[in-house]
Amino acid sequence: MTMESHRKCGLFASSSVLALLIAAPAAAQTADAPPPPETPPAAETQADDIIVTGFRASLNDALVQKREETAAIDSIVAEDIGKFPDSNLAESMQRIPGVALSRGDGGEGRNISVRGLGAQFTRVRINGMEGISQVSASDIRGGVGSGSGRSFDFNTFPTEIFSSLAVRKTMSADVEEGSLGATVDLKAPKPFDNRKDFVFSATARGIYNDIAREVDPRLSALVSKKFGDTFGILGTVAYSKRHIDEYAYSAVNVLPTYVAGLGQNVPTAPGASTTTNVLFPFCTPIGYTFNGSPVNSPANGFANSGNSVGADANNCSTGNPRTSTREAYDYIMSREGVSGRPGGGVFLPRLPRPVKSSQAQERIAGSLTLQWQPDDDTDISIDGLYARFQVNRLDSMIDARSMGRNASNNGQPMMSVRDIEVDDQGSLIYALFDGVDLRSEMQDERFTSTFRQVNLNFEHRYSDSFRLYGLVGFSDSRLDVNKLQVAIDTNDTDDFSIDFRDNPDIPALGYGVDIADPSIYLYGPPLANGDQQGQISSFDRQNVVINRTFEVNGEWEAAPDFKVVGGAQYREGDFSLDERSLTPAFGLPLTLPAGVNIADFATTTTGVADNLGGQMSDFVTIDPDRFRDAVGFDNYQFCSVECGRGFGRVDEKYASGYLMVKFDTRDTLPLSVRGDAGVRYVHTELATQGVIPTAGPPGSAFPTIGVIASVDRTYEDWLPSANLAIDLTDNIIARLAAARVMSRPSYGQLIPSGNVNTAIRTGSFSNPFLDPIRANTFDAAVEWYFAPGSLFSVAYFHKDIETYIQNTTSLVPFSELGLPDSLLVDTNVTPEDLFTISRSENTPGGPLRGFEANLQLPLTFLPGVLSNFGVLANFTRVRSDIDYILQSANGVPTLTTTAPLVGLSPETASGTLFYEDDRFSIRSTLNYRAGYFTSIPSGSADSDVVGMADTIFVDASASYNLTENVKLIAEVQNITNEQTRMYVDSVRRDPLYTSYFGRTFALAANFQF
């Protein structure tokens, strides 16, 4: 199916939803239904004495909270106890102005960005205490997630265990530091939140995805009991299973042809006596000449590590004839591109491949709250929260591995090009190759993310003018990952084709062999001449984040409507990373045991052709459990620091204090001005440890060992802030806010360590001396509450980002990295080979500015049934100018550019049309997020950025009160079957990753007593 046809289907589906919204209430009015139940009021509009319940009540409650705050805060509250408006917390926040959603596996909301600032700049508190939630990310998009950041993965938690969330967009001194974008507060329900002495609520859902085609359960329950007027207990539990299938095309990277080329000295021009080194990207045709000089590439007798590959005048390598055509080769070499190199104007996918990612998810979570209110002046509660998110993920893919290999692995320079066509920018249209190595790869990953938190919250009012409040809390977030990656190869296949002519996002791939036949594949050690026969890697990793918090605050009303607030806080945040991976002896494929062949552990990846529009084929892959049994994997050996593998520690201690005033002039001045102003001081102590691989001493069990490096440092920040809310009229509020804010680097960036990938000649090094990102912010807004339950507001925001953190990239010979040559053993890489090295650095920032508009409009002024409709809409526009260092040499920038902040969508918008009466509720939400850059620099030669294309997601939900105690619910997500589309380079926009994860449907019943 083409992209255009998907868009047409999306428009049709959207129209259908709107038609449903119009038709359904009319049907509900004519249905023969019993009288409406007597539901306790969830919100009340006092002016008209109208009782409002359900979704409309949730909106009204959030509006009341927003109006009363002095800072810029937007909230979402539960429609009823145990019933959050949406099934995913991140998806709920899409309705808040300035919030954009990043979707993870299967299209489920994972992270948020606020006003253009990504998840790493958004801080999340749970019941008043900072929380960090981690999940493992698949590398099917070309990158591997280690879970070493500070961002919060919302898909770890079900919505049913929370009663409200608030997004704080401006800072005040009493809120701890760490957020550059926003602070999100998640709150679990408490017994005294509800007027009833006993509450029981339970919901059972059945969930179906039209790609996975399985029905999965999602169950939740809440019980609350008050014992008299002083003590209460409330517990929640939620459980779900979900199966996800995602199908995609992935290029992994897009590179100019010369990158993997084989160098030879040739004349600078026909007949010239001077020579220059030219990288020949493919195997040259028989009798080829360049600038009038005969060229064989690979040259006759070319050898890898002293072992001949069999190249001669007629063969690229043994059994691999030279079949390149002169026309195709000259076409490539004539296009120099921005690099000025022959072949630099032709860009090819590095590893073109279909991908199938299948997941089995299991999530269980719960909360328990004990609340004691012995009198009107005292409130003490103990809040406990637990969540476990367990995922078994199997990723399967088959790629043209030669296109990601250089000559040392008998890769791209041993391929022959028979036909090729690119557009004016150099983007591939069509190509046909011979001598291509194919690789079928399996990644079996099993991870568990566990979060636990317990905190004691206390508040006591000693007099009418003084109260003391605070918390003591502990939390830990653990991510346990086990991953096995196995690949099988078939080498030197002919008639491999890539064809984008029918679909610019997903090419048709032809392989020239039956890729569903296990007999064509190899598995075993690499050959001396560089030929590969498969791959294996495996690791166990545990990331742990432990937070301890002690906080005490005092509030003194020094005069009517004038309060002095102060407090102190001590926090500890400890991050640890421990990894075990296969020892060098087991890190390369071993010869299969006697009597074992690939067919014994092979299986077929199905559904590829059906879900990718017939552009690609089903293929052989590896069954992970059968592979483990076949090779005796239980006997494989692992190592950690002793062989230079993963280890890291980041221990942070934060001591902070603040002083602020709160004031309200409503009784002293004609104009009511509410606000706060204060300053926060924070002292940060940082102790980090990491492992640096180095050559092992004589007699060492491993050629490479790990040496622990330690770095200790401190820094401090003064963070002033002020918020003003000016009541211009009874219904119009003007807001002003200014603050200095900071956001700390991720844990992984601070661990003193470095590593290289010899297969693709890349490396990354961290930097424990990174400073936080700091900024000065200013906000202004006007809010018009023009009718009950209604709001129109506009806001302007400006952030002067003084410092930023970038991964700068430079080409460095391996010999200059300070790493031992022992890392190159059995890799066919020499110490003189250039590596693309990425390192985190503090760099100048730049300004970020934008505005947002928000409308909440219940259509109560319309006649009859139309008065039950309502509209929510918001729009945000953001611009930023960050100075990026694209390349550097010897620490000096050699190439810079100014571009938007990574992760910043210049425009986002959300619109919801809803209908709600006493029995029936239905709504549909459309969320638009403009494209944004995910990486600057791109990490690809001659390409500036990696970006995400714009998306439009449409969701809908409906509910019907069958009786006073029973509600039926129907939901559908991604009605238009939107895809995720990533690209390389802002001009060419070469497709990098295009995925389909389908529509998700749910039917549910809610019971309340």
Side-chain angles (χ1 to χ4, degrees):
M1 181 180 290
T2 66
M3 191 64 64
E4 181 63 26
S5 61
H6 277 292
R7 292 286 185 183
K8 291 179 179 178
C9 289
L11 291 174
F12 175 79
S14 301
S15 301
S16 300
V17 172
L18 293 177
L20 176 64
L21 282 168
I22 295 172
Q29 292 294 320
T30 57
D32 184 13
E38 295 181 3
T39 306
E44 185 172 326
T45 307
Q46 296 180 356
D48 300 311
D49 199 27
I50 299 173
I51 294 176
V52 184
T53 61
F55 182 66
R56 193 186 299 265
S58 170
L59 298 176
N60 290 358
D61 287 345
L63 211 59
V64 170
Q65 294 181 20
K66 179 179 179 66
R67 188 169 185 170
E68 293 176 350
E69 294 284 355
T70 56
I73 300 177
D74 291 290
S75 303
I76 295 178
V77 300
E79 296 182 22
D80 207 337
I81 190 164
K83 173 63 174 71
F84 214 73
D86 303 278
S87 58
N88 179 281
L89 290 168
E91 290 166 4
S92 288
M93 284 184 274
Q94 290 182 107
R95 292 198 301 272
I96 292 177
V99 175
L101 177 64
S102 296
R103 295 178 183 261
D105 299 326
E108 185 175 14
R110 179 178 174 184
N111 303 124
I112 63 166
S113 67
V114 181
R115 290 178 166 178
L117 293 163
Q120 69 271 30
F121 304 121
T122 300
R123 195 166 161 277
V124 176
R125 301 190 301 183
I126 301 176
N127 294 332
M129 183 176 168
E130 182 177 19
I132 293 176
S133 168
Q134 311 170 80
V135 301
S136 179
S138 169
D139 73 347
I140 59 175
R141 295 165 179 83
V144 181
S146 63
S148 60
R150 298 179 190 264
S151 61
F152 190 89
D153 291 300
F154 287 92
N155 55 356
T156 304
F157 296 91
T159 61
E160 291 90 342
I161 65 173
F162 296 106
S163 60
S164 68
L165 66 84
V167 179
R168 177 185 292 268
K169 299 176 184 175
T170 62
M171 294 299 295
S172 55
D174 59 338
V175 177
E176 58 265 39
E177 76 295 334
S179 166
L180 194 67
T183 297
V184 177
D185 278 304
L186 301 176
K187 292 187 178 181
K190 294 179 180 290
F192 285 91
D193 290 347
N194 195 278
R195 291 176 296 178
K196 292 183 177 180
D197 289 336
F198 176 79
V199 175
F200 173 79
S201 176
T203 303
R205 277 183 174 86
I207 301 173
Y208 176 84
N209 179 271
D210 62 2
I211 289 183
R213 297 183 180 180
E214 293 195 43
V215 177
D216 298 318
R218 179 168 175 166
L219 309 171
S220 64
L222 178 148
V223 178
S224 177
K225 172 63 177 176
K226 287 189 286 188
F227 299 89
D229 296 328
T230 61
F231 182 74
I233 182 170
L234 184 148
T236 67
V237 64
Y239 173 82
S240 65
K241 277 189 173 183
R242 188 180 178 193
H243 291 85
I244 295 173
D245 280 347
E246 182 174 348
Y247 292 88
Y249 161 72
S250 174
V252 178
N253 207 337
V254 179
L255 300 169
T257 60
Y258 71 81
V259 168
L262 191 57
Q264 290 198 35
N265 291 325
V266 296
T268 55
S273 59
T274 57
T275 62
T276 186
N277 188 266
V278 171
L279 297 172
F280 289 90
F282 299 105
C283 181
T284 54
I286 296 173
Y288 185 70
T289 61
F290 186 83
N291 284 345
S293 176
V295 174
N296 274 342
S297 181
N300 294 350
F302 178 81
N304 274 322
S305 301
N307 297 286
S308 172
V309 303
D312 57 31
N314 297 307
N315 295 278
C316 310
S317 57
T318 301
N320 180 21
R322 296 179 184 271
T323 59
S324 291
T325 65
R326 179 66 185 243
E327 294 78 12
Y329 215 100
D330 285 346
Y331 180 83
I332 292 171
M333 301 298 282
S334 68
R335 302 179 68 96
E336 296 184 347
V338 297
S339 68
R341 296 174 179 266
V346 174
F347 293 84
L348 301 179
R350 179 176 170 267
L351 296 176
R353 62 191 189 184
V355 176
K356 179 181 180 181
S357 181
S358 298
Q359 291 188 35
Q361 299 180 350
E362 184 177 49
R363 179 168 50 199
I364 185 168
S367 67
L368 180 65
T369 297
L370 307 177
Q371 188 174 14
W372 183 41
Q373 294 182 344
D375 53 53
D376 293 340
D377 296 323
T378 306
D379 190 342
I380 300 174
S381 65
I382 298 177
D383 301 291
L385 188 142
Y386 173 84
R388 188 193 70 195
F389 184 49
Q390 191 170 21
V391 175
N392 292 343
R393 175 168 49 215
L394 182 63
D395 297 338
S396 303
M397 57 213 81
I398 185 168
D399 55 56
R401 181 62 50 157
S402 286
M403 299 177 73
R405 291 174 175 161
N406 58 21
S408 64
N409 301 115
N410 291 350
Q412 184 180 301
M414 282 67 167
M415 289 170 49
S416 292
V417 55
R418 288 163 46 194
D419 193 9
I420 191 166
E421 180 184 359
V422 299
D423 64 16
D424 292 340
Q425 302 294 336
S427 298
L428 182 65
I429 297 174
Y430 171 77
L432 178 63
F433 301 101
D434 288 341
V436 178
D437 300 343
L438 304 179
R439 168 168 285 182
S440 176
E441 182 178 339
M442 172 277 297
Q443 297 178 13
D444 178 42
E445 183 175 20
R446 305 171 187 189
F447 75 81
T448 301
S449 177
T450 307
F451 182 89
R452 300 179 300 174
Q453 177 176 311
V454 60
N455 52 290
L456 169 69
N457 293 273
F458 58 90
E459 178 181 359
H460 181 71
R461 181 171 292 279
Y462 289 87
S463 67
D464 291 341
S465 61
F466 181 74
R467 70 185 180 106
L468 198 68
Y469 59 98
L471 67 86
V472 178
F474 168 88
S475 73
D476 73 343
S477 173
R478 297 176 183 267
L479 175 64
D480 294 283
V481 183
N482 171 265
K483 185 171 183 177
L484 171 66
Q485 181 177 351
V486 181
I488 52 179
D489 289 358
T490 180
N491 295 329
D492 296 335
T493 63
D494 297 334
D495 297 316
F496 176 79
S497 61
I498 313 174
D499 191 349
F500 283 99
R501 289 175 293 192
D502 290 335
N503 189 327
D505 293 307
I506 301 180
L509 297 181
Y511 299 94
V513 293
D514 182 6
I515 57 175
D517 178 7
S519 67
I520 70 171
Y521 295 94
L522 304 169
Y523 182 82
L527 302 181
N529 68 355
D531 274 345
Q532 302 295 300
Q533 299 187 107
Q535 183 187 37
I536 184 171
S537 67
S538 182
F539 66 80
D540 295 306
R541 179 191 296 138
Q542 183 181 76
N543 293 357
V544 180
V545 181
I546 297 176
N547 283 316
R548 305 174 189 89
T549 300
F550 175 78
E551 175 185 326
V552 61
N553 308 273
E555 181 182 86
W556 172 47
E557 189 169 9
D561 295 322
F562 183 84
K563 298 176 181 178
V564 179
V565 185
Q569 185 185 73
Y570 176 79
R571 291 184 289 142
E572 293 181 353
D574 300 336
F575 171 83
S576 63
L577 179 153
D578 294 280
E579 181 175 303
R580 299 172 61 252
S581 54
L582 289 173
T583 65
F586 292 89
L588 292 172
L590 304 180
T591 301
L592 290 175
V596 175
N597 57 56
I598 289 176
D600 294 328
F601 52 80
T603 186
T604 302
T605 296
T606 60
V608 174
D610 291 341
N611 288 282
L612 295 178
Q615 300 290 90
M616 304 179 197
S617 306
D618 296 347
F619 55 91
V620 160
T621 191
I622 298 99
D623 182 293
D625 293 328
R626 288 165 56 196
F627 173 83
R628 290 183 176 95
D629 292 340
V631 303
F633 189 76
D634 289 343
N635 297 319
Y636 279 38
Q637 296 176 8
F638 289 72
C639 60
S640 184
V641 178
E642 65 271 20
C643 62
R645 303 300 167 85
F647 167 85
R649 298 288 186 270
V650 178
D651 296 334
E652 292 176 321
K653 297 179 180 179
Y654 326 101
S656 61
Y658 74 93
L659 185 66
M660 63 184 292
V661 295
K662 295 181 177 180
F663 52 87
D664 189 339
T665 66
R666 59 186 172 183
D667 295 329
T668 57
L669 295 177
L671 186 66
S672 173
V673 179
R674 298 172 287 121
D676 61 74
V679 63
R680 185 178 190 89
Y681 168 80
V682 58
H683 177 84
T684 302
E685 295 184 13
L686 180 66
T688 63
Q689 290 183 312
V691 62
I692 303 295
T694 189
S700 172
F702 303 105
T704 301
I705 64 171
V707 175
I708 303 299
S710 300
V711 176
D712 297 341
R713 58 185 296 236
T714 64
Y715 56 87
E716 60 184 22
D717 288 272
W718 289 91
L719 305 172
S721 60
N723 294 276
L724 293 178
I726 306 168
D727 296 320
L728 301 177
T729 71
D730 290 342
N731 296 318
I732 299 178
I733 301 174
R735 297 185 188 272
L736 297 172
R740 182 169 177 79
V741 297
M742 58 91 83
S743 179
R744 295 183 174 90
S746 71
Y747 295 119
Q749 291 175 316
L750 293 172
I751 294 173
S753 63
N755 63 79
V756 293
N757 185 325
T758 57
I760 58 176
R761 288 166 176 74
T762 61
S764 62
F765 288 79
S766 58
N767 186 352
F769 296 98
L770 287 173
D771 287 325
I773 297 175
R774 298 182 172 99
N776 297 315
T777 68
F778 171 77
D779 293 74
V782 176
E783 300 167 359
W784 179 27
Y785 299 85
F786 55 90
S790 302
L791 168 67
F792 176 71
S793 65
V794 292
Y796 171 80
F797 49 90
H798 181 96
K799 299 179 188 291
D800 179 18
I801 301 173
E802 294 180 353
T803 60
Y804 191 58
I805 296 175
Q806 296 178 32
N807 288 329
T808 59
T809 301
S810 57
L811 288 172
V812 182
F814 181 87
S815 58
E816 297 181 11
L817 295 177
L819 300 177
D821 290 349
S822 60
L823 296 178
L824 306 182
V825 174
D826 297 323
T827 65
N828 293 316
V829 177
T830 68
E832 290 71 35
D833 284 353
L834 293 176
F835 278 64
T836 301
I837 300 300
S838 175
R839 178 179 170 86
S840 298
E841 301 280 2
N842 282 112
T843 58
L848 180 149
R849 67 258 176 219
F851 76 91
E852 61 188 29
N854 184 33
L855 173 68
Q856 180 171 316
L857 178 61
L859 303 179
T860 52
F861 54 87
L862 294 178
V865 69
L866 296 178
S867 64
N868 295 324
F869 279 95
V871 174
L872 307 175
N874 65 71
F875 173 80
T876 303
R877 186 178 189 271
V878 189
R879 295 293 184 268
S880 67
D881 300 295
I882 302 297
D883 295 325
Y884 290 93
I885 300 173
L886 300 181
Q887 295 178 12
S888 63
N890 300 319
V892 178
T894 58
L895 181 62
T896 62
T897 188
T898 300
L901 188 72
V902 168
L904 182 148
S905 291
E907 289 89 24
T908 58
S910 175
T912 299
L913 177 63
F914 67 90
Y915 172 92
E916 188 168 63
D917 59 27
D918 293 334
R919 305 191 66 85
F920 183 74
S921 176
I922 187 169
R923 65 180 181 270
S924 181
T925 299
L926 182 149
N927 287 287
Y928 167 77
R929 182 174 187 181
Y932 57 94
F933 299 146
T934 62
S935 179
I936 302 176
S938 68
S940 304
D942 302 338
S943 298
D944 56 354
V945 302
V946 175
M948 185 78 71
D950 60 280
T951 56
I952 299 176
F953 283 90
V954 181
D955 305 322
S957 65
S959 64
Y960 181 74
N961 295 319
L962 192 63
T963 70
E964 180 180 354
N965 306 112
V966 180
K967 178 188 291 185
L968 303 180
I969 304 168
E971 301 166 332
V972 57
Q973 295 176 328
N974 193 22
I975 294 173
T976 58
N977 198 23
E978 181 65 286
Q979 303 89 38
T980 298
R981 300 182 300 280
M982 299 179 69
Y983 61 85
V984 175
D985 196 77
S986 60
V987 176
R988 300 192 318 273
R989 297 176 69 92
D990 291 326
L992 178 66
Y993 183 80
T994 303
S995 71
Y996 296 81
F997 39 82
R999 305 171 181 87
T1000 301
F1001 305 86
L1003 292 176
N1006 172 258
F1007 307 88
Q1008 287 204 21
F1009 302 95

